[in-house]
Amino acid sequence: MQKSKILNFILGIIILVFLFLGRGSETPAEGLKRIFGKTAQPDTSKMIYNKQSQGVKNLVFPEPAMVIGSYDSVGQPNIMTAAWFGVACSRPFKVSVSLRPATYSYHGITANMAFTVNVPDASLISYVKFAGKYSGKDMNKFDETGLTPVKSEYVNAPYIKEFPIVMECKVTEYHDLGSHRQFIGEVVDAKIDERLLDEEGKVNMDLFNPVIYGQGKYYSGLDLIQNINEILPGENK
Ligand SMILES: Cc1cc2nc3c(=O)[nH]c(=O)nc-3n(C[C@H](O)[C@H](O)[C@H](O)COP(=O)(O)O)c2cc1C
């Protein structure tokens, strides 16, 4: 009796191990079935997939809202908001930002071949709006807002002390694309507030509430990123 209980127990463990291993080797189709089995199925019965042409229109959504720091030609620090920003290369790590010649920052970045990327969290949204509305031609935006400019360690551009994530960028090239000049910046240093690190000192973006922008509106990132984290086979966690 005792012996059969032990055998049953061992058999149970073996079955559990097989189930666990089986889940790890599921095919992409099985993975989709598992996920769509528990969440919404695409509803093909309704005509919700009819597309309407909007002509040439920016329908990229979401866009980032970064605050770009630079010095002008006489060393006054300036900031401006930029949504036309993206990661451009992994190695070396480069980002791109596209500015119009009408912005004051365009000229400061061209003169110094450097800028900083200041990543806001949702609590800093008023500063993002301010930096995107007024020009450094007319005012010192640091003086007006009370934000603190900090001289970068590695490039000739200021970063914003109160912003939780900053990247110092050296301009390696730029491209005049039409309305905008796309500056390619090699990130020579990235800094993050210690409060966004876990106990082991690793970056933990679960602690960060990003600003998301698109179609003229701002969103708090946390409102948008819930319940979309299902993992498919082969995906990096
Ligand atoms: C959310 C947002 C995104 C913006 N993105 C860009 C951009 O990518 N490129 C650009 O040239 N201007 C962009 N602007 C406009 C500039 O931030 C704005 O013209 C600013 O006043 C320029 O500042 P400056 O003259 O001190 O450089 C954006 C404005 C906002 C509010």
Side-chain angles (χ1 to χ4, degrees):
M1 188 65 178
Q2 193 66 11
K3 202 174 165 189
S4 75
K5 264 190 186 165
I6 291 171
L7 278 175
N8 277 344
F9 178 72
I10 291 173
L11 196 65
I13 296 281
I14 290 170
I15 289 170
L16 279 177
V17 167
F18 270 102
L19 280 174
F20 182 74
L21 290 176
R23 188 184 154 97
S25 63
E26 73 184 353
T27 64
E30 285 165 348
L32 280 177
K33 202 171 164 201
R34 174 171 57 80
I35 288 168
F36 284 116
K38 330 190 244 198
T39 58
Q41 287 273 14
D43 185 352
T44 47
S45 67
K46 295 186 189 144
M47 303 297 281
I48 54 175
Y49 301 114
N50 283 352
K51 306 270 184 290
Q52 186 196 74
S53 171
Q54 295 271 312
V56 179
K57 184 176 180 183
N58 175 15
L59 290 178
V60 175
F61 186 92
E63 294 175 296
M66 299 300 181
V67 178
I68 305 299
S70 58
Y71 288 119
D72 70 6
S73 54
V74 294
Q76 175 174 281
N78 189 32
I79 45 175
M80 76 162 266
T81 302
W84 294 24
F85 172 90
V87 172
C89 184
S90 311
R91 276 179 304 279
F93 182 49
K94 294 185 180 187
V95 295
S96 73
V97 63
S98 294
L99 307 189
R100 288 161 298 117
T103 63
Y104 197 51
S105 307
Y106 170 104
H107 302 281
I109 295 173
T110 304
N112 293 300
M113 293 297 273
F115 62 88
T116 62
V117 179
N118 299 268
V119 187
D121 66 29
S123 72
L124 298 165
I125 190 68
S126 305
Y127 298 109
V128 176
K129 288 183 180 174
F130 190 93
K133 186 168 181 192
Y134 299 102
S135 177
K137 269 191 283 257
D138 309 318
M139 66 177 69
N140 181 329
K141 287 188 237 183
F142 281 99
D143 287 349
E144 292 295 324
T145 56
L147 291 170
T148 316
V150 180
K151 196 172 168 16
S152 287
E153 275 183 278
Y154 302 101
V155 302
N156 192 23
Y159 68 81
I160 310 171
K161 183 179 175 184
E162 291 81 5
F163 275 47
I165 300 172
V166 299
M167 284 172 267
E168 300 184 11
C169 303
K170 184 179 75 182
V171 175
T172 55
E173 63 214 279
Y174 55 72
H175 309 287
D176 290 321
L177 302 175
S179 58
H180 286 62
R181 173 171 286 182
Q182 182 191 44
F183 294 94
I184 306 292
E186 182 175 343
V187 177
V188 292
D189 194 40
K191 308 180 201 299
I192 186 162
D193 281 356
E194 287 176 358
R195 68 190 160 85
L196 297 176
L197 304 178
D198 66 16
E199 288 110 45
E200 289 163 13
K202 288 200 197 117
V203 172
N204 182 358
M205 288 302 184
D206 291 356
L207 302 170
F208 183 62
N209 186 7
V211 172
I212 288 174
Y213 175 75
Q215 302 296 313
K217 281 190 187 170
Y218 299 89
Y219 302 83
S220 139
L222 285 187
D223 298 339
L224 287 181
I225 60 177
Q226 285 160 6
N227 303 324
I228 58 167
N229 291 309
E230 290 276 10
I231 302 293
L232 280 173
E235 267 187 330
N236 291 328
K237 291 193 186 175

